[in-house]
């Protein structure tokens, strides 16, 4: 329900920014071609903002597109994304006055690979995945299975200190609670340390592929 409210607020604010000429572009997320995925949406068409979505699968860091666009840009940003935007501003790659940050409080992003492992099913076989507070409910063949969020979210999310953006112009919903599991987060780091350099390179290639 909270994602739906945030989504409606986002569409309203994005359309208003475009209609009033306060931005030239909106950067956000729209449904991806694969189940339970999203893809970046870059638009200057106010009617296209009805495609904007907010859900637990908005994994991409949209800040990578800021340096490619000319003019003023409205951008959807989670807590981790807003920190990337601030870094771009501090490095003089983007001017603060050219960015309108639409802050999205984030309770963590669902790792589909973890979900597939827990239910022993491919994502195409899943009916639904919902994130509700400290639990995630996966529906398979009409049967609901409940898991602690700490078992399903990306490891980086479990150690996140700023689920709510620290820098924003418009905050689209109230702050999200901190989802912290430092043990799980550290486990991912220790796993990386234990594997070969070639395996680490493969891992980071997959991680960076989410940013483009």
């Amino acid at each position: 329900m909270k994602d739906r409210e945030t989504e409606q607020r986002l569409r309203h604010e994005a359309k208003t920014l475009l209609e009033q000429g306060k931005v030239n572009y909106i950067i956000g997320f729209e449904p991806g071609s694969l189940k339970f995925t999203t893809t970046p949406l870059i638009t200057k068409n106010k009617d296209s903002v009805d495609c904007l979505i907010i859900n637990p699968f908005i994994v991409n860091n949209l800040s990578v597109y800021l340096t490619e666009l000319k003019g003023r840009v409205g951008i959807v940003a989670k807590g981790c994304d807003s920190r990337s935007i601030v870094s771009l501003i501090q490095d003089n790659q983007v001017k603060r006055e050219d960015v309108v940050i639409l802050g999205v409080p984030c309770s963590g992003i669902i790792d589909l690979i973890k979900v597939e492992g827990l239910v022993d099913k491919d994502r195409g076989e899943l009916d639904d995945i919902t994130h509700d507070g400290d639990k995630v409910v996966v529906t398979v063949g009409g049967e609901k299975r409940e898991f602690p969020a700490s078992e399903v979210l990306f490891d980086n999310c479990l150690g996140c200190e700023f689920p709510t953006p620290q820098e924003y112009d418009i905050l689209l919903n109230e702050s999200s609670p901190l989802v912290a599991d430092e043990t799980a987060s550290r486990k991912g780091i220790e796993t990386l340390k234990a594997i070969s350099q070639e395996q680490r390179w493969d891992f980071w290639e997959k991680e960076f592929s989410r940013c483009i």
Side-chain angles (χ1 to χ4, degrees), residues 58-103:
I58 52 173
V59 65
N60 300 73
N61 184 342
L62 301 177
S63 66
V64 297
Y65 299 102
L66 285 175
T67 57
E68 301 176 10
L69 298 174
K70 302 295 184 183
R72 203 155 191 251
V73 180
I75 183 170
V76 175
K78 307 183 295 293
C80 51
D81 306 333
S82 70
R83 296 172 72 181
S84 297
I85 295 171
V86 170
S87 293
L88 289 173
I89 294 169
Q90 291 175 338
D91 292 341
N92 296 316
Q93 296 187 55
V94 175
K95 293 181 179 179
R96 180 63 179 92
E97 59 267 26
D98 288 340
V99 183
V100 177
I101 302 173
L102 299 160

Side-chain angles (χ1 to χ4, degrees), residues 10-20 23-28 30 41-52 72:
L10 167 61
R11 292 174 180 178
H12 170 75
E13 296 290 352
K15 183 171 290 188
T16 299
L17 288 170
L18 287 170
E19 287 178 339
Q20 295 181 354
V23 299
N24 302 101
Y25 296 93
I26 291 291
I27 307 176
E30 65 178 336
L41 170 66
I42 302 175
T43 184
K44 55 170 55 178
N45 184 344
K46 63 182 178 62
D47 294 325
S48 296
V49 301
D50 288 333
C51 296
L52 289 168
R72 203 155 191 251

Side-chain angles (χ1 to χ4, degrees), residues 190-206:
E190 295 303 323
T191 299
L192 275 178
K193 288 181 178 179
I195 61 179
S196 68
Q197 184 175 351
E198 182 178 349
Q199 289 172 315
R200 283 198 296 271
W201 178 252
D202 289 340
F203 169 83
W204 286 116
E205 276 194 323
K206 291 177 182 177

Side-chain angles (χ1 to χ4, degrees), residues 128-179:
D128 194 22
I129 305 173
T130 58
H131 185 188
D132 183 13
D134 61 355
K135 64 180 182 294
V136 171
V137 179
V138 182
T139 306
V140 186
E143 178 185 352
K144 294 182 183 295
R145 298 181 60 181
E146 188 175 297
F147 300 95
S150 59
E151 294 184 9
V152 178
L153 302 182
F154 279 99
D155 289 344
N156 287 346
C157 296
L158 301 178
C160 179
E161 297 179 10
F162 303 105
T164 300
Q166 300 298 291
E167 178 77 15
Y168 60 83
D169 296 290
I170 301 170
L171 188 62
L172 297 172
N173 212 322
E174 61 188 26
S175 300
S176 290
L178 181 66
V179 180

